[in-house]
Amino acid sequence: MKRDPDILNIQEKQKDMKIRLLMLSLMISLSTYSQTGKVIFKIEDINLVPMVSRDLKRARGIVKSGNEKFNLTLEKYNIHQFRQLYPSSKREELLKYYILEADGYQGLMAELKEKFQGVVSHISQYFDPKPLYVPNDYSFNVRSGNDALRDVGLTYLDLINVRDAWNITRGDPQVVIGFMDSYLYTSHEDLAGKIAKIYDDNIRIPLSIDVDHGTMVAGIVGSDTNNDKGISSVAFNCRMAKTSTNKDDLLLMAQDGIKVINISQDWRYSNEADSLLLEELTVDYQVIVIAAAGNKNSTAYIYPASYESVFSVTSVGHEFDLGSTLNGIQFNWKDCHRKYLNIPDNAYYTHTHNDRVDICAPGYNILTTCHPDSYKNGWGASTGQLYSIEDGTSFAAPIVAGVCALMYSINPGLTPLQVKNIIQRTAFDIYSIPENAEYIGLLGAGRIDAYKAVKEAGTTYLTGSQDTKTWSAGYGFILKDVTINNDSYVSLKARKAVEINGVFEVPLGSSFEITIDPSAVTTGQ
């Protein structure tokens, strides 16, 4: 997967663009044009390939070619290295690519593009390979006794590209994810210390329905991660709050500032009071409410998921590639809505799909936390297991809730409608998969992509004339045809990237500053 840079990334994408910096006192911070970076480009004429020597007194590299104009440009920059990009290649074309590392590499790139068309080409910034963040509990798995014996791990996190999202944010402890569910085992090794507040007495009633369901939901959205035990979760630096059945507690959560609430429950029937409650949460308190669409192979409306103001989530598979089989069974194919593809009666194996569904997330064979008494052996004794494999939209919904929490972690000013629109706009299209043909229009916008949603949530777009402002972005800025007005000061702080396209003008007397701050969050003026 092509990676976005972890350093300032200013790219001029249009060949005819002009960058006019018309002032002597332009304030570009050290993280911009004075930063050391690498540039790759292609040299067609072997006679123009520079030779490198060292100026020991000035501690800089001297790069000289057969083109004097080229040499004069290179002399402006402190060159650290110049070499072939792929010297071991047997392809003539690849041998024409070179890499150059220099201070002020952004200015060098701009000059190369402006002055040396026909001499060098394919000029772009080079980024050293960087591993994705991988917690030390990401490879945890549990042996499955269903669908053929095998180890089931966290491939559902892979499918939604959560590790890419973690390279932007792993959540913020100030962002609390509320949920309404059954008993929550707060002493679980992967949940201890993760619960900000319990809004009820949280009593475990062994004979109640889904007694440990809340523990399972909590493990997906916010279990402790990188702790050498158990599983990783979507928004592991965030915290959680929980209530069981008192719907009024949802208002208390909202009044306490909670912006994300997950409801993996069936409230049975639609009624006006519940509808107005959820509308108040969304409109008056700006809370995004995520709910499980239901586990029946039908188009029936399940509530609260099917209320207009609620973000409804149904399931797709995540384990196996399309077309694969295991012991003759086709099941849990990536991004397929049906769990089993070659079993005719799948009434219990495919979840709810209807025109009220907003988004899909993995919901079959989801590895999560459980209470040590959740399961019994053949003699009726507790197995003591702390992790289990579960099916249901109950477990797809908290995946989406976790992504919402990551989005709020870098852009706390988002509205529920903005969160919903971003997630849907950046979703992966699953309708082109033949196995989903019968569900067209019933699976929402597709399958959630955590990375794309988080990146978009943290990206600020600027265009046109800009007066004095100080802005921060949880991911970065994209500028197109920007002019800084006379006597104006524009300061941009980004967590990851700033990209400039088209014309960019800073007149005399104005100033423009860019800095990179790994803790930046999106703000306005």
PDB file of all heavy atoms in Angstrom, residues 249-275:
ATOM      1  N   ASP A 249     -29.791   7.413  30.821  1.00  0.00           N
ATOM      2  CA  ASP A 249     -28.345   7.531  31.008  1.00  0.00           C
ATOM      3  C   ASP A 249     -27.655   8.008  29.730  1.00  0.00           C
ATOM      4  O   ASP A 249     -26.558   8.588  29.789  1.00  0.00           O
ATOM      5  CB  ASP A 249     -27.749   6.187  31.431  1.00  0.00           C
ATOM      6  CG  ASP A 249     -28.046   5.851  32.889  1.00  0.00           C
ATOM      7  OD1 ASP A 249     -28.434   6.766  33.637  1.00  0.00           O
ATOM      8  OD2 ASP A 249     -27.892   4.675  33.265  1.00  0.00           O
ATOM      9  N   LEU A 250     -28.265   7.767  28.581  1.00  0.00           N
ATOM     10  CA  LEU A 250     -27.680   8.246  27.329  1.00  0.00           C
ATOM     11  C   LEU A 250     -27.621   9.770  27.321  1.00  0.00           C
ATOM     12  O   LEU A 250     -26.666  10.367  26.826  1.00  0.00           O
ATOM     13  CB  LEU A 250     -28.487   7.726  26.132  1.00  0.00           C
ATOM     14  CG  LEU A 250     -28.577   6.207  25.994  1.00  0.00           C
ATOM     15  CD1 LEU A 250     -29.456   5.831  24.806  1.00  0.00           C
ATOM     16  CD2 LEU A 250     -27.184   5.586  25.829  1.00  0.00           C
ATOM     17  N   LEU A 251     -28.649  10.403  27.876  1.00  0.00           N
ATOM     18  CA  LEU A 251     -28.631  11.862  27.988  1.00  0.00           C
ATOM     19  C   LEU A 251     -27.570  12.327  28.982  1.00  0.00           C
ATOM     20  O   LEU A 251     -26.898  13.345  28.764  1.00  0.00           O
ATOM     21  CB  LEU A 251     -30.008  12.361  28.417  1.00  0.00           C
ATOM     22  CG  LEU A 251     -31.125  12.222  27.378  1.00  0.00           C
ATOM     23  CD1 LEU A 251     -32.472  12.529  27.998  1.00  0.00           C
ATOM     24  CD2 LEU A 251     -30.860  13.133  26.181  1.00  0.00           C
ATOM     25  N   LEU A 252     -27.403  11.569  30.065  1.00  0.00           N
ATOM     26  CA  LEU A 252     -26.356  11.922  31.030  1.00  0.00           C
ATOM     27  C   LEU A 252     -24.978  11.807  30.393  1.00  0.00           C
ATOM     28  O   LEU A 252     -24.095  12.631  30.653  1.00  0.00           O
ATOM     29  CB  LEU A 252     -26.455  11.024  32.263  1.00  0.00           C
ATOM     30  CG  LEU A 252     -27.747  11.120  33.080  1.00  0.00           C
ATOM     31  CD1 LEU A 252     -27.679  10.186  34.287  1.00  0.00           C
ATOM     32  CD2 LEU A 252     -27.998  12.557  33.527  1.00  0.00           C
ATOM     33  N   MET A 253     -24.778  10.782  29.565  1.00  0.00           N
ATOM     34  CA  MET A 253     -23.507  10.654  28.841  1.00  0.00           C
ATOM     35  C   MET A 253     -23.273  11.887  27.968  1.00  0.00           C
ATOM     36  O   MET A 253     -22.171  12.465  27.961  1.00  0.00           O
ATOM     37  CB  MET A 253     -23.522   9.404  27.959  1.00  0.00           C
ATOM     38  CG  MET A 253     -23.408   8.097  28.706  1.00  0.00           C
ATOM     39  SD  MET A 253     -23.389   6.697  27.545  1.00  0.00           S
ATOM     40  CE  MET A 253     -23.181   5.316  28.687  1.00  0.00           C
ATOM     41  N   ALA A 254     -24.307  12.276  27.224  1.00  0.00           N
ATOM     42  CA  ALA A 254     -24.180  13.440  26.348  1.00  0.00           C
ATOM     43  C   ALA A 254     -23.879  14.695  27.155  1.00  0.00           C
ATOM     44  O   ALA A 254     -23.046  15.529  26.755  1.00  0.00           O
ATOM     45  CB  ALA A 254     -25.464  13.610  25.532  1.00  0.00           C
ATOM     46  N   GLN A 255     -24.534  14.847  28.294  1.00  0.00           N
ATOM     47  CA  GLN A 255     -24.295  16.011  29.139  1.00  0.00           C
ATOM     48  C   GLN A 255     -22.899  15.999  29.750  1.00  0.00           C
ATOM     49  O   GLN A 255     -22.370  17.057  30.122  1.00  0.00           O
ATOM     50  CB  GLN A 255     -25.369  16.076  30.232  1.00  0.00           C
ATOM     51  CG  GLN A 255     -26.745  16.403  29.676  1.00  0.00           C
ATOM     52  CD  GLN A 255     -27.885  16.074  30.620  1.00  0.00           C
ATOM     53  OE1 GLN A 255     -27.660  15.763  31.797  1.00  0.00           O
ATOM     54  NE2 GLN A 255     -29.112  16.125  30.121  1.00  0.00           N
ATOM     55  N   ASP A 256     -22.300  14.825  29.847  1.00  0.00           N
ATOM     56  CA  ASP A 256     -20.921  14.713  30.324  1.00  0.00           C
ATOM     57  C   ASP A 256     -19.901  14.916  29.203  1.00  0.00           C
ATOM     58  O   ASP A 256     -18.701  14.776  29.424  1.00  0.00           O
ATOM     59  CB  ASP A 256     -20.702  13.337  30.967  1.00  0.00           C
ATOM     60  CG  ASP A 256     -21.343  13.238  32.337  1.00  0.00           C
ATOM     61  OD1 ASP A 256     -21.621  14.302  32.941  1.00  0.00           O
ATOM     62  OD2 ASP A 256     -21.575  12.108  32.810  1.00  0.00           O
ATOM     63  N   GLY A 257     -20.369  15.214  28.002  1.00  0.00           N
ATOM     64  CA  GLY A 257     -19.469  15.522  26.899  1.00  0.00           C
ATOM     65  C   GLY A 257     -19.109  14.353  26.012  1.00  0.00           C
ATOM     66  O   GLY A 257     -18.256  14.479  25.137  1.00  0.00           O
ATOM     67  N   ILE A 258     -19.734  13.195  26.208  1.00  0.00           N
ATOM     68  CA  ILE A 258     -19.459  12.034  25.354  1.00  0.00           C
ATOM     69  C   ILE A 258     -20.069  12.266  23.979  1.00  0.00           C
ATOM     70  O   ILE A 258     -21.254  12.602  23.868  1.00  0.00           O
ATOM     71  CB  ILE A 258     -20.006  10.744  26.003  1.00  0.00           C
ATOM     72  CG1 ILE A 258     -19.185  10.437  27.264  1.00  0.00           C
ATOM     73  CG2 ILE A 258     -19.973   9.580  25.031  1.00  0.00           C
ATOM     74  CD1 ILE A 258     -19.717   9.271  28.065  1.00  0.00           C
ATOM     75  N   LYS A 259     -19.280  12.080  22.920  1.00  0.00           N
ATOM     76  CA  LYS A 259     -19.723  12.367  21.561  1.00  0.00           C
ATOM     77  C   LYS A 259     -19.990  11.127  20.731  1.00  0.00           C
ATOM     78  O   LYS A 259     -20.534  11.221  19.626  1.00  0.00           O
ATOM     79  CB  LYS A 259     -18.666  13.221  20.846  1.00  0.00           C
ATOM     80  CG  LYS A 259     -18.480  14.604  21.436  1.00  0.00           C
ATOM     81  CD  LYS A 259     -19.734  15.458  21.290  1.00  0.00           C
ATOM     82  CE  LYS A 259     -19.507  16.880  21.756  1.00  0.00           C
ATOM     83  NZ  LYS A 259     -20.758  17.692  21.685  1.00  0.00           N
ATOM     84  N   VAL A 260     -19.584   9.958  21.218  1.00  0.00           N
ATOM     85  CA  VAL A 260     -19.780   8.703  20.485  1.00  0.00           C
ATOM     86  C   VAL A 260     -20.480   7.719  21.412  1.00  0.00           C
ATOM     87  O   VAL A 260     -20.000   7.437  22.507  1.00  0.00           O
ATOM     88  CB  VAL A 260     -18.439   8.103  20.013  1.00  0.00           C
ATOM     89  CG1 VAL A 260     -18.681   6.811  19.235  1.00  0.00           C
ATOM     90  CG2 VAL A 260     -17.664   9.103  19.175  1.00  0.00           C
ATOM     91  N   ILE A 261     -21.638   7.199  20.980  1.00  0.00           N
ATOM     92  CA  ILE A 261     -22.365   6.201  21.769  1.00  0.00           C
ATOM     93  C   ILE A 261     -22.700   5.013  20.877  1.00  0.00           C
ATOM     94  O   ILE A 261     -23.238   5.181  19.778  1.00  0.00           O
ATOM     95  CB  ILE A 261     -23.655   6.786  22.376  1.00  0.00           C
ATOM     96  CG1 ILE A 261     -23.317   7.864  23.416  1.00  0.00           C
ATOM     97  CG2 ILE A 261     -24.502   5.682  23.003  1.00  0.00           C
ATOM     98  CD1 ILE A 261     -24.538   8.542  24.030  1.00  0.00           C
ATOM     99  N   ASN A 262     -22.360   3.832  21.351  1.00  0.00           N
ATOM    100  CA  ASN A 262     -22.655   2.593  20.629  1.00  0.00           C
ATOM    101  C   ASN A 262     -23.798   1.847  21.327  1.00  0.00           C
ATOM    102  O   ASN A 262     -23.793   1.685  22.548  1.00  0.00           O
ATOM    103  CB  ASN A 262     -21.413   1.695  20.592  1.00  0.00           C
ATOM    104  CG  ASN A 262     -21.644   0.428  19.799  1.00  0.00           C
ATOM    105  OD1 ASN A 262     -21.469   0.408  18.587  1.00  0.00           O
ATOM    106  ND2 ASN A 262     -22.050  -0.636  20.464  1.00  0.00           N
ATOM    107  N   ILE A 263     -24.771   1.388  20.526  1.00  0.00           N
ATOM    108  CA  ILE A 263     -25.885   0.612  21.063  1.00  0.00           C
ATOM    109  C   ILE A 263     -25.997  -0.679  20.260  1.00  0.00           C
ATOM    110  O   ILE A 263     -26.510  -0.687  19.142  1.00  0.00           O
ATOM    111  CB  ILE A 263     -27.214   1.390  21.006  1.00  0.00           C
ATOM    112  CG1 ILE A 263     -27.077   2.737  21.730  1.00  0.00           C
ATOM    113  CG2 ILE A 263     -28.336   0.567  21.627  1.00  0.00           C
ATOM    114  CD1 ILE A 263     -28.302   3.623  21.602  1.00  0.00           C
ATOM    115  N   SER A 264     -25.481  -1.753  20.804  1.00  0.00           N
ATOM    116  CA  SER A 264     -25.576  -3.062  20.164  1.00  0.00           C
ATOM    117  C   SER A 264     -26.724  -3.831  20.812  1.00  0.00           C
ATOM    118  O   SER A 264     -26.540  -4.871  21.448  1.00  0.00           O
ATOM    119  CB  SER A 264     -24.249  -3.825  20.290  1.00  0.00           C
ATOM    120  OG  SER A 264     -23.245  -3.214  19.504  1.00  0.00           O
ATOM    121  N   GLN A 265     -27.925  -3.285  20.684  1.00  0.00           N
ATOM    122  CA  GLN A 265     -29.116  -3.838  21.311  1.00  0.00           C
ATOM    123  C   GLN A 265     -30.294  -3.795  20.346  1.00  0.00           C
ATOM    124  O   GLN A 265     -30.286  -3.037  19.367  1.00  0.00           O
ATOM    125  CB  GLN A 265     -29.494  -3.038  22.570  1.00  0.00           C
ATOM    126  CG  GLN A 265     -28.505  -3.141  23.710  1.00  0.00           C
ATOM    127  CD  GLN A 265     -28.931  -2.268  24.882  1.00  0.00           C
ATOM    128  OE1 GLN A 265     -29.487  -1.185  24.700  1.00  0.00           O
ATOM    129  NE2 GLN A 265     -28.650  -2.730  26.093  1.00  0.00           N
ATOM    130  N   ASP A 266     -31.317  -4.586  20.665  1.00  0.00           N
ATOM    131  CA  ASP A 266     -32.588  -4.563  19.949  1.00  0.00           C
ATOM    132  C   ASP A 266     -33.628  -3.975  20.888  1.00  0.00           C
ATOM    133  O   ASP A 266     -33.953  -4.562  21.919  1.00  0.00           O
ATOM    134  CB  ASP A 266     -32.978  -5.988  19.524  1.00  0.00           C
ATOM    135  CG  ASP A 266     -34.284  -6.036  18.749  1.00  0.00           C
ATOM    136  OD1 ASP A 266     -34.929  -4.974  18.576  1.00  0.00           O
ATOM    137  OD2 ASP A 266     -34.663  -7.133  18.309  1.00  0.00           O
ATOM    138  N   TRP A 267     -34.153  -2.797  20.547  1.00  0.00           N
ATOM    139  CA  TRP A 267     -35.179  -2.162  21.360  1.00  0.00           C
ATOM    140  C   TRP A 267     -36.581  -2.590  20.914  1.00  0.00           C
ATOM    141  O   TRP A 267     -37.567  -1.959  21.269  1.00  0.00           O
ATOM    142  CB  TRP A 267     -35.036  -0.641  21.292  1.00  0.00           C
ATOM    143  CG  TRP A 267     -33.840  -0.112  22.033  1.00  0.00           C
ATOM    144  CD1 TRP A 267     -32.885  -0.824  22.687  1.00  0.00           C
ATOM    145  CD2 TRP A 267     -33.473   1.263  22.182  1.00  0.00           C
ATOM    146  NE1 TRP A 267     -31.945   0.000  23.236  1.00  0.00           N
ATOM    147  CE2 TRP A 267     -32.270   1.300  22.942  1.00  0.00           C
ATOM    148  CE3 TRP A 267     -34.002   2.480  21.756  1.00  0.00           C
ATOM    149  CZ2 TRP A 267     -31.625   2.485  23.265  1.00  0.00           C
ATOM    150  CZ3 TRP A 267     -33.362   3.657  22.082  1.00  0.00           C
ATOM    151  CH2 TRP A 267     -32.190   3.664  22.833  1.00  0.00           C
ATOM    152  N   ARG A 268     -36.651  -3.604  20.107  1.00  0.00           N
ATOM    153  CA  ARG A 268     -37.877  -4.261  19.656  1.00  0.00           C
ATOM    154  C   ARG A 268     -38.683  -3.427  18.666  1.00  0.00           C
ATOM    155  O   ARG A 268     -38.702  -3.709  17.482  1.00  0.00           O
ATOM    156  CB  ARG A 268     -38.755  -4.682  20.829  1.00  0.00           C
ATOM    157  CG  ARG A 268     -38.097  -5.696  21.775  1.00  0.00           C
ATOM    158  CD  ARG A 268     -37.694  -6.960  21.036  1.00  0.00           C
ATOM    159  NE  ARG A 268     -38.845  -7.673  20.499  1.00  0.00           N
ATOM    160  CZ  ARG A 268     -39.591  -8.527  21.170  1.00  0.00           C
ATOM    161  NH1 ARG A 268     -39.316  -8.783  22.455  1.00  0.00           N
ATOM    162  NH2 ARG A 268     -40.601  -9.153  20.597  1.00  0.00           N
ATOM    163  N   TYR A 269     -39.358  -2.396  19.113  1.00  0.00           N
ATOM    164  CA  TYR A 269     -40.270  -1.689  18.223  1.00  0.00           C
ATOM    165  C   TYR A 269     -39.960  -0.201  18.195  1.00  0.00           C
ATOM    166  O   TYR A 269     -39.414   0.366  19.143  1.00  0.00           O
ATOM    167  CB  TYR A 269     -41.720  -1.899  18.663  1.00  0.00           C
ATOM    168  CG  TYR A 269     -42.107  -3.348  18.747  1.00  0.00           C
ATOM    169  CD1 TYR A 269     -42.262  -3.976  19.989  1.00  0.00           C
ATOM    170  CD2 TYR A 269     -42.296  -4.093  17.588  1.00  0.00           C
ATOM    171  CE1 TYR A 269     -42.613  -5.309  20.064  1.00  0.00           C
ATOM    172  CE2 TYR A 269     -42.641  -5.438  17.657  1.00  0.00           C
ATOM    173  CZ  TYR A 269     -42.799  -6.040  18.895  1.00  0.00           C
ATOM    174  OH  TYR A 269     -43.137  -7.367  18.973  1.00  0.00           O
ATOM    175  N   SER A 270     -40.360   0.412  17.107  1.00  0.00           N
ATOM    176  CA  SER A 270     -40.207   1.858  16.993  1.00  0.00           C
ATOM    177  C   SER A 270     -41.265   2.565  17.823  1.00  0.00           C
ATOM    178  O   SER A 270     -42.419   2.134  17.873  1.00  0.00           O
ATOM    179  CB  SER A 270     -40.360   2.273  15.523  1.00  0.00           C
ATOM    180  OG  SER A 270     -40.416   3.670  15.393  1.00  0.00           O
ATOM    181  N   ASN A 271     -40.862   3.615  18.508  1.00  0.00           N
ATOM    182  CA  ASN A 271     -41.843   4.449  19.189  1.00  0.00           C
ATOM    183  C   ASN A 271     -41.355   5.894  19.194  1.00  0.00           C
ATOM    184  O   ASN A 271     -40.154   6.166  19.083  1.00  0.00           O
ATOM    185  CB  ASN A 271     -42.131   3.956  20.608  1.00  0.00           C
ATOM    186  CG  ASN A 271     -40.955   4.112  21.542  1.00  0.00           C
ATOM    187  OD1 ASN A 271     -40.615   5.223  21.945  1.00  0.00           O
ATOM    188  ND2 ASN A 271     -40.310   3.007  21.892  1.00  0.00           N
ATOM    189  N   GLU A 272     -42.286   6.813  19.306  1.00  0.00           N
ATOM    190  CA  GLU A 272     -41.972   8.224  19.162  1.00  0.00           C
ATOM    191  C   GLU A 272     -41.027   8.721  20.241  1.00  0.00           C
ATOM    192  O   GLU A 272     -40.124   9.539  19.978  1.00  0.00           O
ATOM    193  CB  GLU A 272     -43.265   9.050  19.175  1.00  0.00           C
ATOM    194  CG  GLU A 272     -43.010  10.533  18.905  1.00  0.00           C
ATOM    195  CD  GLU A 272     -44.296  11.334  18.900  1.00  0.00           C
ATOM    196  OE1 GLU A 272     -45.214  10.981  19.672  1.00  0.00           O
ATOM    197  OE2 GLU A 272     -44.373  12.302  18.133  1.00  0.00           O
ATOM    198  N   ALA A 273     -41.183   8.238  21.456  1.00  0.00           N
ATOM    199  CA  ALA A 273     -40.340   8.710  22.554  1.00  0.00           C
ATOM    200  C   ALA A 273     -38.868   8.365  22.307  1.00  0.00           C
ATOM    201  O   ALA A 273     -37.981   9.216  22.492  1.00  0.00           O
ATOM    202  CB  ALA A 273     -40.804   8.104  23.880  1.00  0.00           C
ATOM    203  N   ASP A 274     -38.609   7.122  21.889  1.00  0.00           N
ATOM    204  CA  ASP A 274     -37.227   6.724  21.595  1.00  0.00           C
ATOM    205  C   ASP A 274     -36.671   7.518  20.420  1.00  0.00           C
ATOM    206  O   ASP A 274     -35.505   7.929  20.427  1.00  0.00           O
ATOM    207  CB  ASP A 274     -37.166   5.228  21.290  1.00  0.00           C
ATOM    208  CG  ASP A 274     -37.304   4.370  22.538  1.00  0.00           C
ATOM    209  OD1 ASP A 274     -37.193   4.919  23.656  1.00  0.00           O
ATOM    210  OD2 ASP A 274     -37.509   3.150  22.396  1.00  0.00           O
ATOM    211  N   SER A 275     -37.498   7.717  19.415  1.00  0.00           N
ATOM    212  CA  SER A 275     -37.055   8.479  18.250  1.00  0.00           C
ATOM    213  C   SER A 275     -36.662   9.899  18.641  1.00  0.00           C
ATOM    214  O   SER A 275     -35.628  10.421  18.202  1.00  0.00           O
ATOM    215  CB  SER A 275     -38.165   8.505  17.195  1.00  0.00           C
ATOM    216  OG  SER A 275     -37.756   9.268  16.074  1.00  0.00           O
TER     217      SER A 275
END
